[in-house]
Amino acid sequence: MFPSNCKAILKSMDDNITEYGQVSVSLKEKFAEFTSQFVPLLKINVEAKIICLEGIASTHIITGKVFLSSKNLLRLVEIKCTLIPGAENVLEIPTFIRAKIYKPIVKNGIFSKNKVIHKWDDCTVISTSLKQMVIRSSRIMCEYEDMLKIRIGSPVFSKESDINLQLAQNGLMFGKSTKYIYRITRLKEKEQTELADFIKLGSLELIKYLH
């Protein structure tokens, strides 16, 4: 997830590929560090370009001046960053969205077996892409947590929408709540458009000081 470590391509300013590696970006201090097994030595203050990747898709273009150049690391300072059109289709952004999930609850029976009922409960979406959502909520019973429904409204959707989710990774405890990673199983066309717009705006917000 940008601006954490992500795959990247180091290029010259005339778009010749120089090396493949990883890039880490400091939004606060406005520098980017590109690392690889072999980084060609570049002159100090020469401009260079880094293309960020998500899978095989290009997401961001970072340009800046060479501050440090060694065989394993290149640091660019005074960086500028632009979002590549269509990047919202593959990017995941951090969020803090209040939502509700329709979660399973086990009711203890006195004279009969335990039974599972469902009820709406509060949760927080802490990151999202078009393919998955990461949520925090109170504990969900593991044996019944594979499929859930999440209800989200503003600022993602123009009206409250119910999205079906499928568990992608077992929950990780965090204080009184648990972190869950769920795949989005299906989105209507309007929901997909609105979610993509939300991701694009969030991505632009992250880099607004690097224009």
Side-chain angles (χ1 to χ4, degrees):
M1 182 192 300
F2 182 87
S4 300
N5 286 337
C6 64
K7 293 180 180 179
I9 305 172
L10 177 63
K11 287 188 174 184
S12 61
M13 293 305 291
D14 56 0
D15 274 338
N16 288 320
I17 294 175
T18 305
E19 187 58 81
Y20 293 86
Q22 298 278 129
V23 67
S24 179
V25 180
S26 172
L27 297 175
K28 182 178 180 181
E29 299 183 31
K30 297 186 179 182
F31 72 80
E33 289 187 340
F34 177 87
T35 56
S36 183
Q37 290 184 341
F38 173 74
V39 178
L41 296 177
L42 299 179
K43 293 181 180 180
I44 304 302
N45 286 328
V46 167
E47 285 195 324
K49 180 188 298 185
I50 296 170
I51 309 298
C52 300
L53 301 174
E54 185 65 39
I56 60 173
S58 302
T59 60
H60 299 80
I61 301 173
I62 298 171
T63 57
K65 294 181 179 180
V66 175
F67 176 79
L68 174 66
S69 181
S70 70
K71 65 179 183 179
N72 299 120
L73 183 146
L74 178 74
R75 175 179 283 197
L76 301 183
V77 296
E78 301 177 26
I79 61 172
K80 294 182 179 180
C81 183
T82 56
L83 189 69
I84 295 175
E88 63 273 12
N89 294 320
V90 296
L91 284 175
E92 181 176 352
I93 61 166
T95 63
F96 189 81
I97 302 168
R98 297 294 189 186
K100 289 187 177 294
I101 51 173
Y102 198 54
K103 63 187 288 187
I105 305 293
V106 177
K107 299 290 286 186
N108 295 321
I110 299 176
F111 302 107
S112 60
K113 295 181 179 180
N114 295 343
K115 65 177 181 178
V116 178
I117 63 171
H118 287 74
K119 74 169 189 176
W120 289 102
D121 195 14
D122 294 331
C123 73
T124 303
V125 181
I126 59 175
S127 72
T128 187
S129 69
L130 282 177
K131 294 183 178 180
Q132 72 176 27
M133 290 184 176
V134 181
I135 64 175
R136 290 202 193 280
S137 78
S138 56
R139 184 69 179 143
I140 303 170
M141 295 299 295
C142 292
E143 60 267 39
Y144 304 110
E145 67 188 0
D146 286 355
M147 303 292 292
L148 287 180
K149 185 185 296 183
I150 189 167
R151 179 170 291 171
I152 303 176
S154 178
V156 183
F157 302 116
S158 55
K159 64 177 183 179
E160 283 195 339
S161 300
D162 291 350
I163 308 298
N164 291 322
L165 304 176
Q166 183 175 11
L167 186 69
Q169 183 176 313
N170 289 334
L172 301 174
M173 292 301 295
F174 183 82
K176 294 182 179 180
S177 63
T178 307
K179 173 182 172 182
Y180 296 92
I181 301 176
Y182 279 90
R183 287 190 297 272
I184 299 172
T185 57
R186 189 174 67 87
L187 284 173
K188 296 178 183 176
E189 185 175 348
K190 182 179 180 181
E191 292 167 347
Q192 184 166 349
T193 299
E194 290 183 337
L195 181 55
D197 288 342
F198 177 79
I199 293 169
K200 182 178 181 178
L201 288 174
S203 300
L204 290 171
E205 182 70 17
L206 284 173
I207 62 172
K208 67 180 180 181
Y209 297 113
L210 299 180
H211 288 180

